[in-house]
């Protein structure tokens, strides 16, 4: 239904406005991007539900946890990032001391 309506609007734009095809192409591009964004949100929600219900296999669960950690780190403020960086540097120094002969 929506496709037919948008097709008619696009045809009218192409006929009446000199730059109508460019405008119609822009509208189609925006609709495709919006559909892709909505699909990505639905996939994230489905993964959250599968994880909550325990329906993921080991590989999917590991990938899900890594993605969650990555997005969580992406949203941290600078103070928390500095604290995490100091902790990682301390662990690396400790590993270097343990590995030296």
């Amino acid at each position: 239904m929506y496709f037919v309506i948008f097709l008619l609007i696009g045809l009218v734009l192409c006929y009446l406005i000199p730059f109508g095809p460019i405008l119609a192409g822009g509208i189609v591009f925006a609709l495709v991007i919006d559909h892709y964004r909505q699909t990505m949100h639905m996939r994230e929600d489905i993964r959250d539900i599968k994880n909550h219900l325990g329906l993921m296999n080991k590989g999917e669960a590991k990938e899900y946890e890594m993605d969650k950690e990555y997005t969580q780190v992406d949203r941290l403020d600078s103070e928390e990032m500095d604290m995490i960086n100091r902790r990682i540097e301390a662990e690396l120094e400790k590993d270097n001391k343990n590995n030296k002969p």
Side-chain angles (χ1 to χ4, degrees):
M1 179 70 179
Y2 290 115
F3 181 73
V4 174
I5 293 171
F6 287 126
L7 181 64
L8 291 174
I9 292 171
L11 289 173
V12 169
L13 285 174
C14 291
Y15 182 71
L16 295 178
I17 301 174
F19 296 107
I22 296 172
L23 185 62
I27 292 170
V28 168
F29 181 73
L31 289 172
V32 168
I33 295 298
D34 184 52
H35 185 269
Y36 176 76
R37 186 185 55 81
Q38 288 178 355
T39 302
M40 291 305 294
H41 286 297
M42 287 182 352
R43 284 183 181 171
E44 288 177 16
D45 292 342
I46 289 170
R47 286 179 66 195
D48 290 339
I49 292 168
K50 282 178 71 175
N51 185 49
H52 180 73
L53 295 175
L55 299 174
M56 290 184 165
N57 61 26
K58 289 182 182 180
E60 287 177 328
K62 185 176 179 180
E63 183 180 331
Y64 174 79
E65 291 300 324
M66 287 178 16
D67 287 343
K68 281 296 183 184
E69 287 178 13
Y70 178 73
T71 55
Q72 183 181 12
V73 168
D74 194 33
R75 295 179 185 155
L76 295 176
D77 61 357
S78 63
E79 292 176 8
E80 292 174 342
M81 286 296 290
D82 289 338
M83 184 173 49
I84 290 171
N85 286 337
R86 281 189 230 120
R87 185 177 55 188
I88 291 172
E89 289 174 0
E91 288 177 11
L92 290 174
E93 289 176 10
K94 181 180 173 184
D95 287 342
N96 283 339
K97 289 179 183 178
N98 291 340
N99 290 336
K100 287 186 178 180

